[in-house]
Amino acid sequence: MKKNEQIKRNHHYIWRHYLKPWTDGRDIYYTTKNGKIALDSIKGLAVERDFYKIKHLDEQDIHYLRRFASFSPEPMKDNHNKYLDDFINIQSLIKNLRQKGNKKAAKLMKIHQHNSFEGLHTIIENEAKPVLEQLTQENFTILDNLQNKLAFLSYIGHQLTRTKSLKESSLSAVQSRINTPFASSIPNYELGCNLMEKNWWFLSFIFGTNIGFSLYITKDKDNHSFLRNNTMVPFITSDRPVINVHKSLKQLPNGEAPENMDLYFPISPQIAFMINESDRYNDSIVEINEESDVMDLNKAIAQNSYRHTFSNSMDLLKKLQKHTSK
């Protein structure tokens, strides 16, 4: 079977290449969904069957997604509608082939539904790949090139929104209000919940694109810092690797959205990236020499993880087990 005809059903919501700096070349230490520590290949981790499968788009779905896209920043509206048009046109083309009795139509539809959106994330990843590789080698000047910076920030935006953690927490938060006075005051609230769940694959793309665009637009006024870990304790990462670590979160009531953000993203056991609103780190390159600082960031990653934390150190994951989110 030709490679472009193979149906991809195991979809990674954490890019395998991103996890490589924590591996021994193939395997990585991680916490299992049962809370144990295991060593395994990154190939089968942070993956779910059909996670990015495209659902059939009917007129109701299309209207819903176009309306959602309309709330995006002006340059992004056309971008979202262009991608949506592409998915609609492919679906329509295959439908016409099926009506004409084309024997390959059913197979083409499966390839489209299982591969197309996964392929879109692959494009975003491939654009960021050379940037991440240089950053792991501490070549921070790679971001002096604006195209590289755009690719990097776009990748961060999508990695923030494409996780299973965000999908489940977002859908749960919306669906939990179905039987409340708030929901009853909104026409077709339950229908909106169903459309959100069905079309999350594209909504997450809208959110990720908008966040990446926003991070790029504000790049000159935001405080970007690279953290160089000079301690014996490595940075860890998780299946939710982009998190907010602003100190105000500790006083934030449950269910209330944060107003401030210190965005933290570990790149390797030695390097991490932050976009800070606070004065926690003000320099473009910060040398971290205190193990307590590294552990604070590691605890935040563990606390915000969905199922898995990842490290090149089994002992470190054991120390952090009590902080993992279960």
Side-chain angles (χ1 to χ4, degrees):
M1 183 184 294
K2 296 179 181 178
K3 188 174 182 179
N4 62 356
E5 293 181 352
Q6 295 175 358
I7 296 175
K8 302 175 183 176
R9 303 202 63 181
N10 292 326
H11 298 160
H12 287 82
Y13 47 88
I14 301 295
W15 186 21
R16 279 187 290 171
H17 184 78
Y18 163 70
L19 294 175
K20 279 189 176 181
W22 284 272
T23 71
D24 60 7
R26 187 191 82 117
D27 295 339
I28 194 170
Y29 289 108
Y30 70 102
T31 53
T32 70
K33 61 182 179 181
N34 296 321
K36 297 180 180 180
I37 309 298
L39 177 68
D40 209 339
S41 167
I42 55 176
K43 186 176 180 179
L45 297 175
V47 62
E48 179 158 320
R49 193 170 176 84
D50 299 336
F51 188 68
Y52 295 124
K53 181 182 177 181
I54 298 173
K55 304 295 179 61
H56 176 78
L57 291 164
D58 58 29
E59 290 301 319
Q60 197 170 53
D61 299 316
I62 295 168
H63 174 75
Y64 174 79
L65 290 172
R66 292 209 191 280
R67 178 166 174 75
F68 226 104
S70 70
F71 297 110
S72 301
E74 195 59 44
M76 292 294 98
K77 293 179 185 179
D78 290 341
N79 180 74
H80 300 324
N81 281 304
K82 175 184 175 299
Y83 278 113
L84 183 58
D85 286 340
D86 288 343
F87 290 122
I88 295 168
N89 291 336
I90 293 172
Q91 177 180 279
S92 178
L93 176 63
I94 297 174
K95 181 180 178 182
N96 289 336
L97 289 174
R98 179 180 290 170
Q99 291 173 342
K100 292 177 180 179
N102 190 305
K103 294 181 180 180
K104 292 186 177 181
K107 178 68 176 294
L108 289 172
M109 181 61 78
K110 284 188 176 181
I111 293 172
H112 165 60
Q113 290 180 324
H114 290 90
N115 296 13
S116 294
F117 201 65
E118 171 84 345
L120 187 54
H121 277 298
T122 298
I123 292 172
I124 295 167
E125 292 165 350
N126 286 340
E127 289 178 347
K129 184 176 182 179
V131 183
L132 281 172
E133 289 177 345
Q134 288 297 307
L135 293 177
T136 60
Q137 298 174 33
E138 303 186 26
N139 178 16
F140 305 131
T141 60
I142 189 74
L143 294 185
D144 291 345
N145 179 289
L146 293 182
Q147 191 62 39
N148 290 337
K149 182 167 285 190
L150 175 61
F152 178 60
L153 295 176
S154 177
Y155 169 74
I156 288 178
H158 282 284
Q159 185 57 85
L160 180 63
T161 64
R162 65 182 283 191
T163 64
K164 185 168 177 63
S165 172
L166 185 71
K167 178 181 179 179
E168 291 198 351
S169 62
S170 298
L171 295 178
S172 176
V174 172
Q175 291 169 349
S176 67
R177 307 182 76 175
I178 284 181
N179 297 317
T180 65
F182 171 80
S184 63
S185 68
I186 299 177
N188 300 318
Y189 185 86
E190 186 171 357
L191 173 62
C193 291
N194 294 335
L195 288 171
M196 183 179 186
E197 182 172 12
K198 179 184 178 184
N199 296 292
W200 181 260
W201 62 274
F202 195 76
L203 292 179
S204 65
F205 177 77
I206 291 177
F207 298 146
T209 303
N210 289 353
I211 291 172
F213 174 76
S214 176
L215 294 176
Y216 181 76
I217 290 299
T218 60
K219 65 185 183 304
D220 293 327
K221 65 178 182 179
D222 289 342
N223 181 23
H224 290 189
S225 297
F226 284 98
L227 312 184
R228 182 185 280 132
N229 182 356
N230 296 318
T231 76
M232 297 299 290
V233 178
F235 291 131
I236 69 165
T237 190
S238 81
D239 50 7
R240 190 183 169 198
V242 184
I243 62 171
N244 185 2
V245 295
H246 195 278
K247 59 185 179 182
S248 64
L249 296 179
K250 294 179 180 179
Q251 288 78 41
L252 192 69
N254 288 336
E256 188 171 319
E259 295 182 1
N260 304 104
M261 183 179 71
D262 283 353
L263 203 63
Y264 173 66
F265 175 55
I267 295 174
S268 76
Q270 292 78 38
I271 301 295
F273 176 70
M274 289 193 72
I275 302 176
N276 300 309
E277 286 186 9
S278 72
D279 58 358
R280 183 171 184 172
Y281 298 112
N282 290 320
D283 297 326
S284 58
I285 301 176
V286 178
E287 305 286 346
I288 297 185
N289 299 300
E290 297 295 329
E291 291 187 356
S292 59
D293 291 344
V294 176
M295 285 301 288
D296 282 345
L297 292 168
N298 283 343
K299 288 175 184 176
I301 285 287
Q303 289 166 349
N304 285 277
S305 64
Y306 172 65
R307 285 182 178 167
H308 309 300
T309 51
F310 303 102
S311 180
N312 57 349
S313 168
M314 179 177 66
D315 291 339
L316 179 56
L317 289 185
K318 287 182 177 179
K319 290 179 181 178
L320 290 164
Q321 273 183 307
K322 63 182 179 182
H323 300 287
T324 55
S325 175
K326 299 297 176 188

